[in-house]
Amino acid sequence: MAEKIRIGILGYGNLGKGVELAIRQNPDMELAAFFTRRAPEALKTQSPDVPVYNVKDAISKKDDIDVMILCGGSATDLPVQSPEYAKYFNIVDSFDTHAKIPEHFANVDASAKEGGHVAFISVGWDPGMFSLQRLIGNCILPNGKDYTFWGRGVSQGHSDAIRRIKGVKDGKQYTVPVPAALEKVRAGENPELTTREKHTRECYVVAEEGADLARIENEIKTMPNYFADYDTTVHFISQEELDRDHSGIPHGGFVIRTGTTGADTKQMIEYSLKLGSNPEFTSSVIVAYARAAYKMAQEGITGAKTVFDVAPTYLSPLSAEEQRKNLL
Amino acid sequence: MAEKIRIGILGYGNLGKGVELAIRQNPDMELAAFFTRRAPEALKTQSPDVPVYNVKDAISKKDDIDVMILCGGSATDLPVQSPEYAKYFNIVDSFDTHAKIPEHFANVDASAKEGGHVAFISVGWDPGMFSLQRLIGNCILPNGKDYTFWGRGVSQGHSDAIRRIKGVKDGKQYTVPVPAALEKVRAGENPELTTREKHTRECYVVAEEGADLARIENEIKTMPNYFADYDTTVHFISQEELDRDHSGIPHGGFVIRTGTTGADTKQMIEYSLKLGSNPEFTSSVIVAYARAAYKMAQEGITGAKTVFDVAPTYLSPLSAEEQRKNLL
């Protein structure tokens, strides 16, 4: 067997933990090291044999890591880390602030080229797999319309927003696609759907003792950007119920492209994900793109890349012949 | 606007007609010429301004065609045409005899490299879009299982087989996925499914006057390879009913990848197509890959390619910046 692809994990939250587990499912890879901003000895990983270093020592390990997976957040971590580490490593990140992707791409591209590395940005399922389906759907059915629905799943951002409200002890928010909207799209009706018509929001809230529930519910439902444009339901439950029934991080969604060909012939492409764990799935996507980053770097390719820029053959551990024989 | 991509269509059956219409939906392309084995003046196309040539003259037009789309059949046309024309043109074919793909790839690869062209083989939806989903699904969820279902849709091969039976005037066969099997797969049960459990076959048959219907039904249901391994229903109808209710060529299907990540977390990826016209959709896929062939050839890439070998960015008429901004 060829040498294994040595992966580094930088950041050990839900995503880092998911990457740790995903690597175990890929025999052509090995987890070489963790990098953390915490005290290394304080980090309890699920891989006791894998060394943990402080991020300050990352650059000194650059010859031991084939691909560094950056598992930080999009708000403040990745805008700094991705351009920084792309100078020294092939990297994969999951930058998901859609509006800032062009800027992030440009920054990462410059340092990846300077360092002679491949740097995948915005890898995951949206952006990521959903983007791929949108792009291909647009190319195949140019006379058509895209629909993306998210859920049923936990939105971390909306859950955080609930938890910031005074009197809220804990909470979880589910984004839910509206079945009637999905059915209209699938029926090829090409509906124009408002934000409210596409998704509803379900909140499970643990209030502090004696808190004003009516005020909390009202603050949630009228919160601009997060909830005001949606039909939102608020359920007050106990901490025990929340822990018992809402501890998972499921997610998923749908990308649908409807269009016509020839003399108004209806055609429909639908891609859907039903994910038991959002971060574990995102991690699994990232790990496949880490393989692609490694292979592309071996061919001398450099610069920032997205899921649009990689031929699918690079994602697979199989040879091109095996891919054609078994999967085409 | 940049110069348009000049497409040639070789073969004018259902697929050629679909390509003709698909090109009209892509403003960066133009249909430059048809090539036919028939007498050119006998070919009635839907594009009276586009010249029709005999295939014998194809090579003399090689400087007028950027990509030649080969619309012949996989049984006898493409095994000869694709290696032949890849010497002179960038080509796209829809070769779909799965078992012979490795051989076809090798033959086409040799002549495409000799001629310095890009030659896409096996483009369409299966092989094609379904293959892409299988490959990516396998890479993301290595600990999982693939399921491909076809239909509900018309199988040309099975319809032909019915029509060859003595006493049959006309007929159409639909391949239908078994709903219970689909549900088991979606529920993450990872069932082992036999051929019979996955699909049923529905036949609509017009018998000749006085024909022995019981014998025809029995011959269909017991026909090896085509029907014997399936639960098959046979409906005898009139030619008027067949023409009225079964004149379309719809198709579609499902590629489902189920798998687990982490500590047995269930994950599911589902891709489905619901096609009003199988050849028109296949043509639309082919035309998108013709764009990719053109762009890749401009970069000096040569040889045989499949859907696994092209970065999705090449399929799109948009710039990489626009793709990232609007679709990522």
Side-chain angles (χ1 to χ4, degrees):
Chain A
M1 172 139 194
E3 282 192 20
K4 295 193 179 198
I5 305 170
R6 299 164 303 169
I7 305 288
I9 292 177
L10 198 153
Y12 195 66
N14 283 330
L15 199 62
K17 288 173 187 167
V19 171
E20 178 183 23
L21 298 175
I23 290 167
R24 296 183 188 172
Q25 296 190 332
N26 291 280
D28 61 333
M29 300 188 176
E30 65 180 7
L31 179 52
F34 295 95
F35 298 90
T36 178
R37 284 178 293 203
R38 299 179 240 177
E41 59 280 11
L43 200 72
K44 292 270 174 296
T45 73
Q46 296 180 65
S47 309
D49 298 339
V50 175
V52 180
Y53 301 109
N54 190 279
V55 287
K56 286 181 217 148
D57 299 320
I59 295 166
S60 72
K61 303 289 172 195
K62 68 186 176 62
D63 297 331
D64 304 331
I65 305 287
D66 294 313
V67 184
M68 184 73 98
I69 297 179
L70 304 180
C71 300
S74 297
T76 55
D77 298 331
L78 298 175
V80 178
Q81 291 175 345
S82 299
E84 169 67 6
Y85 290 106
K87 288 182 205 158
Y88 308 102
F89 299 94
N90 301 309
I91 65 159
V92 184
D93 82 21
S94 61
F95 185 80
D96 66 357
T97 311
H98 280 85
K100 294 188 176 167
I101 286 175
E103 179 190 341
H104 188 63
F105 184 90
N107 293 340
V108 175
D109 192 47
S111 16
K113 282 179 177 155
E114 183 193 326
H117 294 107
V118 171
F120 271 99
I121 67 155
S122 303
V123 174
W125 59 274
D126 197 1
M129 292 300 102
F130 274 17
S131 322
L132 204 58
Q133 302 300 333
R134 284 190 287 262
L135 177 78
I136 299 177
N138 272 268
C139 297
I140 296 177
L141 296 175
N143 185 21
K145 207 161 154 38
D146 278 337
Y147 295 89
T148 302
F149 292 87
W150 297 275
R152 185 178 192 260
V154 173
S155 164
Q156 213 53 59
H158 290 79
S159 299
D160 290 345
I162 291 173
R163 287 191 292 256
R164 283 192 295 264
I165 292 174
K166 193 167 168 258
V168 171
K169 198 177 149 203
D170 204 348
K172 206 105 178 217
Q173 193 267 184
Y174 295 89
T175 306
V176 186
V178 175
L182 258 174
E183 287 318 310
K184 274 187 192 171
V185 170
R186 287 190 181 130
E189 293 179 22
N190 290 329
E192 292 293 336
L193 297 167
T194 63
T195 298
R196 191 177 299 275
E197 287 167 335
K198 285 184 74 186
H199 297 94
T200 53
R201 299 198 176 277
E202 280 176 21
C203 308
Y204 293 85
V205 181
V206 181
E208 283 167 3
E209 219 177 297
D212 179 347
L213 304 189
R215 176 193 50 82
I216 291 174
E217 178 164 348
N218 186 58
E219 276 195 40
I220 293 174
K221 289 185 170 176
T222 58
M223 194 185 296
N225 303 318
Y226 285 88
F227 294 100
D229 298 334
Y230 298 85
D231 289 335
T232 300
T233 52
V234 177
H235 307 275
F236 289 99
I237 61 175
S238 68
Q239 185 73 53
E240 292 67 34
E241 286 171 307
L242 190 80
D243 295 343
R244 186 190 65 208
D245 302 333
H246 304 282
S247 64
I249 319 175
H251 219 312
F254 305 82
V255 174
I256 301 174
R257 178 80 181 175
T258 53
T260 58
T261 57
D264 211 30
T265 307
K266 283 187 182 180
Q267 312 278 13
M268 189 181 69
I269 307 169
E270 177 169 343
Y271 180 82
S272 67
L273 296 174
K274 202 171 156 194
L275 310 177
S277 159
N278 179 357
E280 285 182 12
F281 187 80
T282 301
S283 302
S284 298
V285 176
I286 286 174
V287 164
Y289 280 83
R291 178 182 294 118
Y294 173 74
K295 291 197 207 175
M296 291 166 82
Q298 285 204 313
E299 294 184 8
I301 295 167
T302 66
K305 306 288 168 196
T306 73
V307 295
F308 297 158
D309 303 311
V310 57
T313 186
Y314 286 101
L315 302 171
S316 172
L318 302 178
S319 71
E321 291 72 23
E322 289 170 312
Q323 292 170 24
R324 283 193 293 272
K325 190 166 185 293
N326 301 326
L327 296 164
L328 197 64
Chain B
M1 169 139 194
E3 283 193 19
K4 295 194 178 197
I5 304 170
R6 299 164 303 169
I7 305 287
I9 293 176
L10 198 153
Y12 195 67
N14 282 331
L15 199 62
K17 289 172 187 167
V19 171
E20 177 182 22
L21 298 174
I23 291 168
R24 295 182 188 173
Q25 296 191 332
N26 291 280
D28 61 334
M29 299 189 179
E30 66 180 7
L31 178 53
F34 295 96
F35 298 90
T36 178
R37 283 178 294 203
R38 299 178 241 178
E41 59 278 10
L43 200 73
K44 292 269 172 294
T45 73
Q46 295 180 66
S47 309
D49 298 339
V50 175
V52 181
Y53 302 109
N54 190 278
V55 287
K56 286 181 216 148
D57 299 320
I59 295 167
S60 73
K61 303 289 172 194
K62 71 187 175 59
D63 296 332
D64 304 332
I65 305 289
D66 294 312
V67 185
M68 183 73 97
I69 297 179
L70 303 180
C71 300
S74 296
T76 56
D77 298 332
L78 298 174
V80 178
Q81 291 175 346
S82 298
E84 169 68 8
Y85 290 105
K87 288 183 203 159
Y88 308 102
F89 299 93
N90 301 308
I91 65 160
V92 184
D93 82 23
S94 60
F95 185 79
D96 66 358
T97 311
H98 280 84
K100 293 190 178 166
I101 285 174
E103 179 190 341
H104 188 62
F105 184 90
N107 293 339
V108 174
D109 192 48
S111 23
K113 282 180 176 154
E114 182 192 325
H117 293 106
V118 171
F120 271 100
I121 67 154
S122 303
V123 175
W125 58 275
D126 197 2
M129 291 301 103
F130 274 17
S131 322
L132 204 57
Q133 302 300 333
R134 283 189 290 261
L135 177 79
I136 299 176
N138 272 267
C139 297
I140 296 177
L141 297 175
N143 186 20
K145 208 159 152 38
D146 279 335
Y147 295 89
T148 302
F149 291 88
W150 297 275
R152 185 177 190 261
V154 172
S155 164
Q156 213 54 59
H158 290 80
S159 300
D160 290 345
I162 291 173
R163 286 191 292 258
R164 282 193 296 264
I165 291 173
K166 192 164 169 265
V168 171
K169 198 176 148 202
D170 204 348
K172 208 105 176 217
Q173 194 269 183
Y174 295 90
T175 305
V176 186
V178 174
L182 259 173
E183 286 320 309
K184 273 187 193 171
V185 170
R186 287 189 182 129
E189 295 178 23
N190 290 328
E192 292 292 338
L193 297 167
T194 62
T195 298
R196 191 177 298 276
E197 286 167 337
K198 285 183 72 183
H199 296 95
T200 52
R201 299 199 175 278
E202 280 176 20
C203 308
Y204 293 84
V205 180
V206 181
E208 284 169 4
E209 220 177 297
D212 179 348
L213 303 189
R215 177 193 50 81
I216 291 173
E217 179 163 346
N218 186 58
E219 276 194 40
I220 293 173
K221 290 184 170 178
T222 58
M223 194 185 298
N225 302 318
Y226 286 87
F227 295 100
D229 297 335
Y230 298 86
D231 289 336
T232 301
T233 52
V234 177
H235 305 274
F236 289 99
I237 61 175
S238 68
Q239 186 73 53
E240 291 68 36
E241 286 171 306
L242 189 81
D243 295 344
R244 185 191 67 209
D245 302 332
H246 304 282
S247 64
I249 319 176
H251 219 312
F254 306 80
V255 174
I256 301 174
R257 178 81 182 176
T258 54
T260 58
T261 57
D264 211 30
T265 308
K266 283 188 183 182
Q267 311 277 15
M268 190 183 67
I269 308 170
E270 177 170 343
Y271 180 81
S272 68
L273 297 174
K274 203 171 153 193
L275 310 177
S277 160
N278 180 357
E280 284 181 12
F281 187 81
T282 302
S283 303
S284 297
V285 176
I286 287 174
V287 164
Y289 280 83
R291 178 182 294 115
Y294 173 75
K295 290 198 208 174
M296 292 166 82
Q298 285 203 313
E299 294 184 7
I301 296 168
T302 65
K305 305 287 168 197
T306 73
V307 295
F308 297 159
D309 303 311
V310 57
T313 186
Y314 286 103
L315 301 172
S316 172
L318 302 178
S319 72
E321 291 73 21
E322 289 171 311
Q323 291 170 26
R324 283 193 293 271
K325 191 166 185 292
N326 301 324
L327 296 165
L328 197 65

